[in-house]
């Protein structure tokens, strides 16, 4: 007989709830073309795509990774996300928000599972998006992180 049409939910890891427009566009397209057409934001500042068929799972995960995001650590018995309160993205009068974003990115990177298995299973062993979009907050000029 025919294989059952199992479907899955993918949850992304989205440190600080920050999602660049280009990543959002990819998620929206994936949701429309491979999910049940309702991209969901969670109370933990992450995204979920529901209704992905088993046969499409590898393509969807690979596309998310190529866009600079990841589902690694988005589910399970693990730190799922590093959250921050809503804050101005760039406000010279409140540099502490820039510092908070920096340390949230550092913590998010610290909590990423240290295994090659994910890439081996979902990306045919290819390492994709070695720099997720949130890492840019780690590699900034430390002088600009002084909140004083």
């Amino acid at each position: 007989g025919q294989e059952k049409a199992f479907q899955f939910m993918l949850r992304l890891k989205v440190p600080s709830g920050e999602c660049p427009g280009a990543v959002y566009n990819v998620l929206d397209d994936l949701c429309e073309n491979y999910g049940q057409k309702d991209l969901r934001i969670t109370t933990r500042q992450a995204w979920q795509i529901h209704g992905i068929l088993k046969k499409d799972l590898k393509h969807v995960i690979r596309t998310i990774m190529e866009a600079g995001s990841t589902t690694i650590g988005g589910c399970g018995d693990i730190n799922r996300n590093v959250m921050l309160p809503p804050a101005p993205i760039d406000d010279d009068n409140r540099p502490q928000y820039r510092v908070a974003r920096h340390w949230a990115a550092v913590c998010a990177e610290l909590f990423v599972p240290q295994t090659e298995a994910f890439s081996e299973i979902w990306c045919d062993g290819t390492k994709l998006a070695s720099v997720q979009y949130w890492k840019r907050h780690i590699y900034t000029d430390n002088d600009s992180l002084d909140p004083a």
Side-chain angles (χ1 to χ4, degrees):
Q2 224 175 15
E3 185 177 332
K4 291 184 179 181
F6 292 104
Q7 59 177 300
F8 295 82
M9 179 273 294
L10 287 178
R11 182 180 299 118
L12 279 71
K13 195 165 191 103
V14 186
S16 310
E18 178 185 1
C19 182
V23 172
Y24 175 84
N25 286 338
V26 167
L27 297 178
D28 190 46
D29 288 344
L30 289 171
C31 183
E32 283 294 315
N33 296 317
Y34 299 97
Q36 62 187 34
K37 304 183 186 330
D38 64 339
L39 184 60
R40 300 178 189 185
I41 193 155
T42 73
T43 56
R44 291 189 182 113
Q45 299 177 333
W47 295 104
Q48 291 179 347
I49 304 174
H50 291 254
I52 301 168
L53 295 178
K54 180 181 176 184
K55 69 179 184 68
D56 297 325
L57 204 52
K58 194 171 195 174
H59 170 75
V60 171
I61 290 173
R62 184 180 184 98
T63 303
I64 289 168
M65 297 288 288
E66 287 171 344
S69 191
T70 188
T71 61
I72 298 172
C75 297
D77 187 18
I78 192 169
N79 170 278
R80 290 190 189 173
N81 212 4
V82 176
M83 299 189 307
L84 288 178
I89 292 173
D90 285 312
D91 184 344
D92 291 335
N93 295 321
R94 297 177 181 175
Q96 61 272 25
Y97 289 124
R98 186 171 44 251
V99 174
R101 281 194 313 273
H102 169 82
W103 286 107
V106 169
C107 290
E109 184 60 19
L110 179 67
F111 297 142
V112 169
Q114 301 300 309
T115 177
E116 302 295 323
F118 188 89
S119 292
E120 289 171 10
I121 294 168
W122 298 109
C123 303
D124 298 323
T126 304
K127 290 184 181 180
L128 300 173
S130 61
V131 179
Q132 284 88 11
Y133 63 85
W134 65 82
K135 290 184 184 180
R136 72 179 182 282
H137 296 305
I138 297 173
Y139 306 113
T140 57
D141 180 1
N142 287 334
D143 293 337
S144 67
L145 296 176
D146 184 6

